[in-house]
Amino acid sequence: MVRHYWWLPVLTVLVIGYSGCQNDAFLDSSIPRVVTPPEQIATVRTKWYNGKLQQTTFLDKQDRVLEDFLFGRTNEKIWNVYAGKKKVSSTHYYHNDSSTPGYINIIRRRFEYNVQERVVRVLKEDADMGKSGSENTPKSSVYTYRYIGKNDTLVSHLPTPEPNRSTVIDSIRWERNQQGQLIRHYRLYVMKMPQNSRLDTIRYFSHRFAYDHLGRRTLAWYDLMYLGWFYIANGPDTIRYEYGRGNRPVREIHRYTTDIRNKREIDTISLDRVWRRSLRDYRQRFLDTSRGFYNGNRTDTVEYRYEPFEAGKHLPLHVSQDIGY
């Protein structure tokens, strides 16, 4: 009896197609790989999150970022171009985990400087590209920068977008010390929808930073974070930074906690029984320290490794398929 294995070529095609999809799943095919001339690249830095390769960055001789690749179901790339000491352009490619393969958002920025070599204008173009490889008509905008004193910067955005009538307050502050170092980032964003009588806090946090005598950031912490409807932390309660040779960062210790003392919870007084039950479930899940996935009480380790660039070793780009989820 002759057995007809007609399904073998079909299976082969499926396997090849699936493998090709898998090989590109964590960096969309529409995102350009390394385009910087090899002679401009000096160092390759990799970022490892709990032992998993998450990010690859190509640096020049001044340790400036030339190209930065972030792997994952949501993946992206930043490509910077320099002229002398100044960055003249930056392009950001972004593929969301909910987007179809081949669909990316592209934001291009061009920088203009004054005689003091400070940025005075940023010309921005925002476009999307589909599977066909063609971009839609970009949306253009201009940001102008004006400097007051040593550390203060005023930014204006043209054209001015139409105000969101639902916004009650949207306050953002960046506070710096006398050395120009960022010491606090504060955000309060509250909305009120026309059909709803209650206020809705969207973002509310205070993020602080500390430095050592060499000016290196040693600690970042939230003295205030709002958990919101779904009890999601803004980030680690604390990040401790460690440095190696050449003052390069080599390790970060990210500590998450379920300690409520630095956190704000949603006000449930005006909510009905269904919403209260839902929020109670989210709260219990956040406080459950036995959870294996996204445990709110955990410590993550981020490591940075550096290698001299070698075209034969580092090109073509290795795309990580295992970043820890």
Side-chain angles (χ1 to χ4, degrees), residues 184-237:
R184 187 185 185 221
H185 179 203
Y186 173 86
R187 178 79 185 271
L188 175 60
Y189 179 25
V190 180
M191 295 181 64
K192 181 182 178 300
M193 302 304 291
Q195 67 273 20
N196 200 326
S197 61
R198 68 186 305 276
L199 297 177
D200 188 4
T201 301
I202 307 300
R203 303 295 300 276
Y204 183 29
F205 64 78
S206 173
H207 202 194
R208 296 184 181 270
F209 309 90
Y211 303 82
D212 64 13
H213 66 285
L214 297 177
R216 303 176 304 188
R217 182 177 294 177
T218 56
L219 181 66
W221 73 100
Y222 281 93
D223 59 341
L224 169 67
M225 71 165 71
Y226 175 68
L227 295 172
W229 287 85
F230 304 107
Y231 278 78
I232 299 174
N234 282 271
D237 285 50

Side-chain angles (χ1 to χ4, degrees), residues 67-84:
E67 301 191 39
D68 193 12
F69 296 86
L70 183 65
F71 310 120
R73 296 189 183 101
T74 291
N75 47 80
E76 55 193 297
K77 169 187 175 176
I78 296 174
W79 172 36
N80 297 324
V81 177
Y82 302 87

Side-chain angles (χ1 to χ4, degrees), residues 23-176:
N23 287 338
D24 200 47
F26 279 26
L27 188 66
D28 191 78
S29 60
S30 294
I31 295 179
R33 276 31 180 188
V34 181
V35 297
T36 302
E39 62 272 14
Q40 296 181 17
I41 305 173
T43 306
V44 176
R45 181 182 69 201
T46 52
K47 178 180 177 181
W48 301 77
Y49 185 80
N50 291 334
K52 308 291 186 179
L53 176 59
Q54 187 182 64
Q55 192 169 353
T56 298
T57 307
F58 295 84
L59 308 172
D60 66 8
K61 294 179 181 179
Q62 289 77 46
D63 268 358
R64 299 179 301 188
V65 173
L66 296 169
E67 301 191 39
D68 193 12
F69 296 86
L70 183 65
F71 310 120
R73 296 189 183 101
T74 291
N75 47 80
E76 55 193 297
K77 169 187 175 176
I78 296 174
W79 172 36
N80 297 324
V81 177
Y82 302 87
K85 296 181 179 179
K86 298 188 289 291
K87 180 166 65 175
V88 294
S89 69
S90 182
T91 306
H92 183 204
Y93 304 89
Y94 180 82
H95 174 79
N96 190 278
D97 64 346
S98 61
S99 300
T100 58
Y103 180 90
I104 56 174
N105 173 250
I106 306 173
I107 296 178
R108 297 182 176 90
R109 293 180 174 89
R110 290 188 291 116
F111 303 92
E112 297 180 0
Y113 297 80
N114 59 16
V115 293
Q116 290 81 29
E117 297 189 342
R118 287 177 165 180
V119 175
V120 291
R121 290 211 316 164
V122 176
L123 311 177
K124 177 184 174 184
E125 290 186 347
D126 191 335
D128 295 322
M129 185 172 75
K131 293 182 65 175
S132 64
S134 60
E135 297 182 27
N136 61 6
T137 303
K139 298 178 181 178
S140 300
S141 56
V142 178
Y143 294 83
T144 60
Y145 290 71
R146 186 160 57 92
Y147 299 89
I148 302 175
K150 183 178 180 180
N151 300 319
D152 295 334
T153 306
L154 297 180
V155 182
S156 60
H157 178 199
L158 299 174
T160 303
E162 294 184 8
N164 186 341
R165 296 182 179 181
S166 300
T167 299
V168 176
I169 185 173
D170 189 2
S171 177
I172 305 173
R173 292 206 306 270
W174 300 86
E175 300 175 5
R176 301 181 182 272

